[in-house]
Amino acid sequence: MIDFFKGKNAQEQEQLKVEKNEQEGFFSRLKKGLSKTKNDFINQVTTLFSSSGKINEDLFEQLEEILIQADVGVATTIKLIEELKERVKQDKISEAAELSSVFKEELSRLLQDEATGLDIKPGLNILMVVGVNGAGKTTTIAKIAQRYKSQGKQVLLAAGDTFRAAAIDQLKVWGERVGVNIIAQQEGADAAAVTFDAIQSARAREVELLIVDTAGRLHTQKNLMEELKKVRRIIEREAVAAQTQVLLVLDATTGQNAMNQAKIFNEAVNVDGIALTKLDGTAKGGIVIAIKNELGIPIKLIGVGEQAEDLQDFKPDEFIEALFSE
Amino acid sequence: MVFQNLAEKLQATFKKLRGKGKLTEKDVQAALKEVKLALLEADVNYKVVKDFVGKVQERAVGSTVMESLTPGQQVIKIVNDELTQLMGGSKSELEFAAKSPTILMLVGLQGAGKTTSVGKLGKYLQKQGKQPLLVAGDIYRPAAIKQLQILGERLAIPVFTMGDQKNPIDIAKAALSYATSNNHDLVILDTAGRLHIDQKMMDELKGIKAKINPDQILLVVDSMTGQDAVNVAQNFDQTLGIDGVILTKLDGDARGGAALSIKAVTGKPIKFVGMGEKMDALEAFHPDRMSSRILGMGDVLSLIEKAEANMDLQKALSLEEKLRQNEFTLEDFIEQMEQVRNMGPLDQILGMIPGIAGANQLKNLQVDEKQLDHIAAIINSMTPQERRSPEIINGSRRKRIARGSGTSIQEINRLLKQFKQTKKMMKQFSDMSNGKMKGLRKLPFFN
Ligand SMILES: Nc1nc2c(ncn2[C@@H]2O[C@H](COP(=O)(O)OP(=O)(O)OP(=O)(O)O)[C@@H](O)[C@H]2O)c(=O)[nH]1
Ligand SMILES: [Mg+2]
């Protein structure tokens, strides 16, 4: 059973969205999405640096407090502060105000990565999207589909969440809204079989980007992680020539557990990058720093809202700049 | 992971005190720093941790703790007591309205698990004889209504929906009159996920509340939530006035520190926990279990209590003395073994030990009570002299003991070897720690 859905006035919708997008511009959208973060987190840091006069132990302690409250995590916080102290010693910094730019530099260095955003090559690209329940996988898929559709790419979605009630319908609605086709079977079907179907179909129709949705699962569920590996193996077997990437979707509201998620999903299916969602809501974006620091998995995309256009490439410098700017 | 075993860390912190004999305020502070880190690693909010540690500190420096024989364990106990206290003391039940129907309204952030929880609650309360009506009030997320309809169908519980074109306030109102005229004594309302800072969406919830006046508003919170949990809970509570919390996805490996933070800032109890995706995976909340989970220490409290009730302190102390003098014999060995067995079935006791509790390892750990009987039989078949100086047990003695105890020479060899190792290990332990609990973990049959 294969369903094809095509948005009625997708063309129109898209036009509207693109316009809206351009009006607001990348930077202002990002800033708007991150305004909470900025206020709560970086403002604290900035005032801390500018108001404290001479550098003392108290200052570092306050910084530690702010970082931990931003979900950076104890280990990364300690590391960051130690590095900062090292710099202070090396560069003989004595004014607290100077620390601000040093701290920015350190953060930026930590988050730097050559390839951000998604790397879409000519030919068939397959993006497998994984993550725990409710992280924002399906919505992120819709956002990515919207982005590449509007760039004129041929996009196809695979309804690989055959488990959660109405997950297939959810993806179908998005497919309709965004105006891309979707390959689906019935609830309870084998996710690997759906993926297989989708790959054949993608080939036949010269699709450039196939995005595979998967059911949310806790990383601790062994059998479900095995199922995920199976999907990954099917992709590898059936699409040897394709460029395959695995995107892990993480909810920015998540605390230290995000680290376990990243570790275990990575072990199972080899994660290429992270999409960090719901950054419009949480006051802190610190988990990004911890993940990059401890796991070295690059953050590729960020989600800053519930609409199809609320997706941005993760750009460390702009990200930090947006965090620090007034 | 780092603080998987807080109890062990605390013990290590206290080990330095052995020589000193007494606990100082500074020692307690060092230990509390470990507690603080463990709580932070578990995502308990920073401010909450600060307050908490202050409170424990006050209690812990009191003289009864400082002068006790096991100050380390006493401090752990205080931590656990305070944590359980903070988390709501005893479990909190749902309240039903005097006038039917009782209205429950579930609210929370996107992706927290509201819709699934609506289904689970429906099933949970249906089993208690209620006639629930589930109401599809999430008109925003694609296929959210369909999701609830499918769950209702599976559970054979009616679902009220008016599609996604009507406003949720009107839907809630209509659902209420439907419930009344169709003899439903319970209405459970699903709402769309929303950000606590989204004024427009929060106003919508206020509108629903004003219209239908729910008996209980339950905030659904993902147990993996980080430091932001307090902001979320505070905002929802201030805007709506929540009555309790459902903590979801606790079947994973999140420590669930959010639970503590939310209770601390709102004072509202955790009522239920979600333990899986199946519709029957909803449980009443147990504050005590949650506190040791947050600290990553298994059910240490019960273990300590059991040890206190069943192990003779005098004997334990004299054992330690013997260990230090290297006079620990097979007689002492069997005595200690009996003491441990007095505490209850071994697999249960093992389950309380940090690092083992809840882990799958427990399933692989063959706790063979029969093997213990064999050990007892072997030692009982020895002469007093043999028990005191096992090195005299030669080949012919081994044969005799095997016959006497109905075991094999191999078993006797194994026991003697284990005893030798244990003695060595226990010596090391007694050198570095003062805990009787510590010794438990290194008894031979725990390997
Ligand atoms: N505010 C905000 N909400 C988001 C974002 N991304 C996703 N969401 C919302 O989060 C909720 C869950 O998103 P889904 O895309 O269904 O998540 P999922 O990972 O596919 O969920 P399962 O398939 O059930 O595991 C939905 O209500 C989304 O609208 C974001 O960047 N910001
Ligand atoms: Mg999904």
Side-chain angles (χ1 to χ4, degrees), chain A residues 41 62-75 77-78 256 284, chain B residues 36-37 40-41 43-46 227:
Chain A
F41 170 43
Q62 285 179 61
L63 183 59
E64 178 185 299
E65 210 173 300
I66 292 164
L67 289 173
I68 284 172
Q69 289 199 66
D71 282 324
V72 172
V74 177
T77 296
I78 291 172
Q256 300 310 298
K284 333 282 198 273
Chain B
K36 182 175 151 187
L37 290 177
L40 289 174
E41 284 290 317
D43 290 322
V44 181
N45 182 268
Y46 192 88
Q227 295 283 320

mmCIF file of all heavy atoms in Angstrom, chain A residues 41 62-75 77-78 256 284, chain B residues 36-37 40-41 43-46 227:
data_model
loop_
_atom_site.group_PDB
_atom_site.id
_atom_site.type_symbol
_atom_site.label_atom_id
_atom_site.label_comp_id
_atom_site.label_asym_id
_atom_site.label_seq_id
_atom_site.Cartn_x
_atom_site.Cartn_y
_atom_site.Cartn_z
ATOM 1 N N PHE A 41 20.686 33.872 30.024
ATOM 2 C CA PHE A 41 21.995 33.250 30.166
ATOM 3 C C PHE A 41 23.119 34.235 29.912
ATOM 4 O O PHE A 41 23.869 34.610 30.810
ATOM 5 C CB PHE A 41 22.062 32.038 29.226
ATOM 6 C CG PHE A 41 23.418 31.427 29.080
ATOM 7 C CD1 PHE A 41 24.228 31.241 30.192
ATOM 8 C CD2 PHE A 41 23.868 31.013 27.834
ATOM 9 C CE1 PHE A 41 25.475 30.660 30.052
ATOM 10 C CE2 PHE A 41 25.107 30.425 27.697
ATOM 11 C CZ PHE A 41 25.913 30.254 28.804
ATOM 12 N N GLN A 62 30.575 32.423 40.222
ATOM 13 C CA GLN A 62 29.310 32.894 39.644
ATOM 14 C C GLN A 62 29.161 32.414 38.209
ATOM 15 O O GLN A 62 28.067 32.065 37.767
ATOM 16 C CB GLN A 62 29.245 34.422 39.681
ATOM 17 C CG GLN A 62 28.967 34.974 41.053
ATOM 18 C CD GLN A 62 28.937 36.489 41.032
ATOM 19 O OE1 GLN A 62 28.119 37.079 40.340
ATOM 20 N NE2 GLN A 62 29.835 37.104 41.761
ATOM 21 N N LEU A 63 30.257 32.410 37.498
ATOM 22 C CA LEU A 63 30.226 31.942 36.110
ATOM 23 C C LEU A 63 29.836 30.464 36.065
ATOM 24 O O LEU A 63 29.027 30.033 35.244
ATOM 25 C CB LEU A 63 31.603 32.159 35.464
ATOM 26 C CG LEU A 63 31.709 31.788 33.995
ATOM 27 C CD1 LEU A 63 30.724 32.562 33.141
ATOM 28 C CD2 LEU A 63 33.132 32.018 33.493
ATOM 29 N N GLU A 64 30.413 29.721 36.993
ATOM 30 C CA GLU A 64 30.102 28.299 37.092
ATOM 31 C C GLU A 64 28.598 28.102 37.302
ATOM 32 O O GLU A 64 27.958 27.264 36.669
ATOM 33 C CB GLU A 64 30.881 27.708 38.271
ATOM 34 C CG GLU A 64 30.626 26.250 38.522
ATOM 35 C CD GLU A 64 31.330 25.764 39.780
ATOM 36 O OE1 GLU A 64 32.571 25.834 39.821
ATOM 37 O OE2 GLU A 64 30.650 25.335 40.722
ATOM 38 N N GLU A 65 28.059 28.935 38.184
ATOM 39 C CA GLU A 65 26.643 28.865 38.486
ATOM 40 C C GLU A 65 25.809 29.083 37.224
ATOM 41 O O GLU A 65 24.869 28.348 36.942
ATOM 42 C CB GLU A 65 26.348 29.969 39.509
ATOM 43 C CG GLU A 65 25.220 29.667 40.436
ATOM 44 C CD GLU A 65 25.124 30.729 41.521
ATOM 45 O OE1 GLU A 65 26.100 30.894 42.280
ATOM 46 O OE2 GLU A 65 24.082 31.385 41.590
ATOM 47 N N ILE A 66 26.174 30.087 36.481
ATOM 48 C CA ILE A 66 25.419 30.437 35.270
ATOM 49 C C ILE A 66 25.513 29.320 34.235
ATOM 50 O O ILE A 66 24.516 28.929 33.630
ATOM 51 C CB ILE A 66 25.942 31.762 34.674
ATOM 52 C CG1 ILE A 66 25.591 32.917 35.619
ATOM 53 C CG2 ILE A 66 25.356 32.006 33.291
ATOM 54 C CD1 ILE A 66 26.358 34.184 35.341
ATOM 55 N N LEU A 67 26.708 28.772 34.066
ATOM 56 C CA LEU A 67 26.881 27.713 33.068
ATOM 57 C C LEU A 67 26.072 26.479 33.431
ATOM 58 O O LEU A 67 25.418 25.877 32.582
ATOM 59 C CB LEU A 67 28.365 27.364 32.926
ATOM 60 C CG LEU A 67 29.240 28.417 32.252
ATOM 61 C CD1 LEU A 67 30.707 28.010 32.324
ATOM 62 C CD2 LEU A 67 28.831 28.631 30.809
ATOM 63 N N ILE A 68 26.120 26.128 34.699
ATOM 64 C CA ILE A 68 25.396 24.931 35.104
ATOM 65 C C ILE A 68 23.900 25.142 34.944
ATOM 66 O O ILE A 68 23.184 24.255 34.489
ATOM 67 C CB ILE A 68 25.775 24.518 36.534
ATOM 68 C CG1 ILE A 68 27.150 23.862 36.501
ATOM 69 C CG2 ILE A 68 24.759 23.551 37.117
ATOM 70 C CD1 ILE A 68 27.748 23.571 37.832
ATOM 71 N N GLN A 69 23.453 26.332 35.257
ATOM 72 C CA GLN A 69 22.027 26.618 35.091
ATOM 73 C C GLN A 69 21.621 26.638 33.632
ATOM 74 O O GLN A 69 20.442 26.599 33.309
ATOM 75 C CB GLN A 69 21.680 27.949 35.732
ATOM 76 C CG GLN A 69 21.731 27.859 37.229
ATOM 77 C CD GLN A 69 20.971 28.996 37.884
ATOM 78 O OE1 GLN A 69 19.768 29.097 37.763
ATOM 79 N NE2 GLN A 69 21.689 29.862 38.564
ATOM 80 N N ALA A 70 22.594 26.721 32.750
ATOM 81 C CA ALA A 70 22.305 26.698 31.317
ATOM 82 C C ALA A 70 22.387 25.278 30.757
ATOM 83 O O ALA A 70 22.405 25.089 29.548
ATOM 84 C CB ALA A 70 23.266 27.608 30.580
ATOM 85 N N ASP A 71 22.454 24.272 31.623
ATOM 86 C CA ASP A 71 22.529 22.868 31.219
ATOM 87 C C ASP A 71 23.851 22.480 30.563
ATOM 88 O O ASP A 71 23.922 21.460 29.886
ATOM 89 C CB ASP A 71 21.380 22.493 30.263
ATOM 90 C CG ASP A 71 20.072 22.265 30.995
ATOM 91 O OD1 ASP A 71 20.112 21.735 32.120
ATOM 92 O OD2 ASP A 71 19.024 22.617 30.447
ATOM 93 N N VAL A 72 24.876 23.263 30.769
ATOM 94 C CA VAL A 72 26.169 22.914 30.192
ATOM 95 C C VAL A 72 26.696 21.621 30.830
ATOM 96 O O VAL A 72 27.395 20.847 30.196
ATOM 97 C CB VAL A 72 27.173 24.070 30.370
ATOM 98 C CG1 VAL A 72 28.570 23.659 29.951
ATOM 99 C CG2 VAL A 72 26.720 25.270 29.568
ATOM 100 N N GLY A 73 26.321 21.398 32.074
ATOM 101 C CA GLY A 73 26.765 20.188 32.757
ATOM 102 C C GLY A 73 28.019 20.444 33.576
ATOM 103 O O GLY A 73 28.815 21.329 33.257
ATOM 104 N N VAL A 74 28.178 19.676 34.623
ATOM 105 C CA VAL A 74 29.277 19.907 35.556
ATOM 106 C C VAL A 74 30.645 19.754 34.894
ATOM 107 O O VAL A 74 31.510 20.621 35.002
ATOM 108 C CB VAL A 74 29.174 18.956 36.767
ATOM 109 C CG1 VAL A 74 30.351 19.151 37.692
ATOM 110 C CG2 VAL A 74 27.871 19.192 37.525
ATOM 111 N N ALA A 75 30.828 18.655 34.174
ATOM 112 C CA ALA A 75 32.148 18.365 33.604
ATOM 113 C C ALA A 75 32.589 19.460 32.630
ATOM 114 O O ALA A 75 33.712 19.973 32.720
ATOM 115 C CB ALA A 75 32.123 17.010 32.907
ATOM 116 N N THR A 77 31.445 22.482 32.329
ATOM 117 C CA THR A 77 31.585 23.750 33.040
ATOM 118 C C THR A 77 32.960 23.856 33.688
ATOM 119 O O THR A 77 33.662 24.864 33.543
ATOM 120 C CB THR A 77 30.489 23.881 34.118
ATOM 121 O OG1 THR A 77 29.222 23.928 33.473
ATOM 122 C CG2 THR A 77 30.676 25.141 34.934
ATOM 123 N N ILE A 78 33.339 22.813 34.362
ATOM 124 C CA ILE A 78 34.641 22.815 35.017
ATOM 125 C C ILE A 78 35.743 22.994 33.984
ATOM 126 O O ILE A 78 36.681 23.776 34.170
ATOM 127 C CB ILE A 78 34.839 21.520 35.842
ATOM 128 C CG1 ILE A 78 33.882 21.539 37.042
ATOM 129 C CG2 ILE A 78 36.288 21.377 36.298
ATOM 130 C CD1 ILE A 78 33.831 20.251 37.816
ATOM 131 N N GLN A 256 21.040 16.732 31.219
ATOM 132 C CA GLN A 256 22.223 15.907 31.036
ATOM 133 C C GLN A 256 21.950 14.603 30.298
ATOM 134 O O GLN A 256 22.846 14.004 29.727
ATOM 135 C CB GLN A 256 22.882 15.621 32.390
ATOM 136 C CG GLN A 256 23.316 16.886 33.121
ATOM 137 C CD GLN A 256 24.127 17.797 32.237
ATOM 138 O OE1 GLN A 256 25.196 17.436 31.774
ATOM 139 N NE2 GLN A 256 23.610 18.986 31.949
ATOM 140 N N LYS A 284 17.903 28.168 28.064
ATOM 141 C CA LYS A 284 19.321 27.840 27.995
ATOM 142 C C LYS A 284 19.638 26.990 26.765
ATOM 143 O O LYS A 284 18.898 26.109 26.426
ATOM 144 C CB LYS A 284 19.740 27.049 29.239
ATOM 145 C CG LYS A 284 18.908 27.311 30.485
ATOM 146 C CD LYS A 284 19.298 28.613 31.165
ATOM 147 C CE LYS A 284 18.818 28.675 32.594
ATOM 148 N NZ LYS A 284 17.465 29.185 32.716
ATOM 149 N N LYS B 36 26.045 17.510 46.082
ATOM 150 C CA LYS B 36 25.687 18.630 45.216
ATOM 151 C C LYS B 36 25.941 18.284 43.743
ATOM 152 O O LYS B 36 25.082 18.487 42.889
ATOM 153 C CB LYS B 36 26.516 19.840 45.642
ATOM 154 C CG LYS B 36 26.225 21.101 44.876
ATOM 155 C CD LYS B 36 27.019 22.260 45.455
ATOM 156 C CE LYS B 36 27.311 23.278 44.383
ATOM 157 N NZ LYS B 36 28.203 24.345 44.835
ATOM 158 N N LEU B 37 27.117 17.726 43.481
ATOM 159 C CA LEU B 37 27.445 17.363 42.108
ATOM 160 C C LEU B 37 26.494 16.305 41.565
ATOM 161 O O LEU B 37 26.045 16.378 40.430
ATOM 162 C CB LEU B 37 28.893 16.871 42.020
ATOM 163 C CG LEU B 37 29.963 17.945 42.219
ATOM 164 C CD1 LEU B 37 31.347 17.312 42.176
ATOM 165 C CD2 LEU B 37 29.853 19.030 41.173
ATOM 166 N N LEU B 40 23.251 17.875 40.680
ATOM 167 C CA LEU B 40 23.356 18.671 39.453
ATOM 168 C C LEU B 40 23.426 17.778 38.226
ATOM 169 O O LEU B 40 22.811 18.051 37.204
ATOM 170 C CB LEU B 40 24.579 19.583 39.519
ATOM 171 C CG LEU B 40 24.484 20.758 40.491
ATOM 172 C CD1 LEU B 40 25.809 21.491 40.576
ATOM 173 C CD2 LEU B 40 23.361 21.700 40.101
ATOM 174 N N GLU B 41 24.180 16.701 38.336
ATOM 175 C CA GLU B 41 24.273 15.754 37.230
ATOM 176 C C GLU B 41 22.917 15.131 36.930
ATOM 177 O O GLU B 41 22.663 14.671 35.832
ATOM 178 C CB GLU B 41 25.267 14.637 37.563
ATOM 179 C CG GLU B 41 26.711 15.043 37.449
ATOM 180 C CD GLU B 41 27.139 15.276 36.009
ATOM 181 O OE1 GLU B 41 26.762 14.468 35.145
ATOM 182 O OE2 GLU B 41 27.829 16.269 35.751
ATOM 183 N N ASP B 43 20.227 16.777 36.992
ATOM 184 C CA ASP B 43 19.372 17.847 36.479
ATOM 185 C C ASP B 43 18.490 18.513 37.523
ATOM 186 O O ASP B 43 17.494 19.133 37.193
ATOM 187 C CB ASP B 43 18.464 17.359 35.325
ATOM 188 C CG ASP B 43 19.249 17.066 34.063
ATOM 189 O OD1 ASP B 43 20.189 17.817 33.778
ATOM 190 O OD2 ASP B 43 18.928 16.086 33.392
ATOM 191 N N VAL B 44 18.832 18.373 38.765
ATOM 192 C CA VAL B 44 18.106 19.151 39.766
ATOM 193 C C VAL B 44 18.535 20.604 39.582
ATOM 194 O O VAL B 44 19.706 20.886 39.321
ATOM 195 C CB VAL B 44 18.432 18.693 41.199
ATOM 196 C CG1 VAL B 44 17.637 19.518 42.215
ATOM 197 C CG2 VAL B 44 18.131 17.219 41.357
ATOM 198 N N ASN B 45 17.591 21.508 39.710
ATOM 199 C CA ASN B 45 17.913 22.911 39.477
ATOM 200 C C ASN B 45 18.958 23.435 40.455
ATOM 201 O O ASN B 45 18.945 23.119 41.645
ATOM 202 C CB ASN B 45 16.646 23.757 39.579
ATOM 203 C CG ASN B 45 16.923 25.214 39.294
ATOM 204 O OD1 ASN B 45 17.194 25.978 40.204
ATOM 205 N ND2 ASN B 45 16.891 25.582 38.040
ATOM 206 N N TYR B 46 19.828 24.267 39.929
ATOM 207 C CA TYR B 46 20.955 24.782 40.706
ATOM 208 C C TYR B 46 20.539 25.432 42.014
ATOM 209 O O TYR B 46 21.121 25.167 43.070
ATOM 210 C CB TYR B 46 21.722 25.791 39.847
ATOM 211 C CG TYR B 46 23.059 26.165 40.420
ATOM 212 C CD1 TYR B 46 24.187 25.415 40.129
ATOM 213 C CD2 TYR B 46 23.184 27.257 41.274
ATOM 214 C CE1 TYR B 46 25.408 25.743 40.663
ATOM 215 C CE2 TYR B 46 24.411 27.590 41.817
ATOM 216 C CZ TYR B 46 25.526 26.834 41.507
ATOM 217 O OH TYR B 46 26.736 27.153 42.037
ATOM 218 N N GLN B 227 17.643 22.025 33.514
ATOM 219 C CA GLN B 227 17.528 23.123 34.475
ATOM 220 C C GLN B 227 16.283 23.977 34.263
ATOM 221 O O GLN B 227 15.793 24.625 35.181
ATOM 222 C CB GLN B 227 18.772 24.009 34.364
ATOM 223 C CG GLN B 227 20.059 23.309 34.781
ATOM 224 C CD GLN B 227 20.188 23.219 36.287
ATOM 225 O OE1 GLN B 227 19.852 24.145 37.000
ATOM 226 N NE2 GLN B 227 20.658 22.085 36.773
#
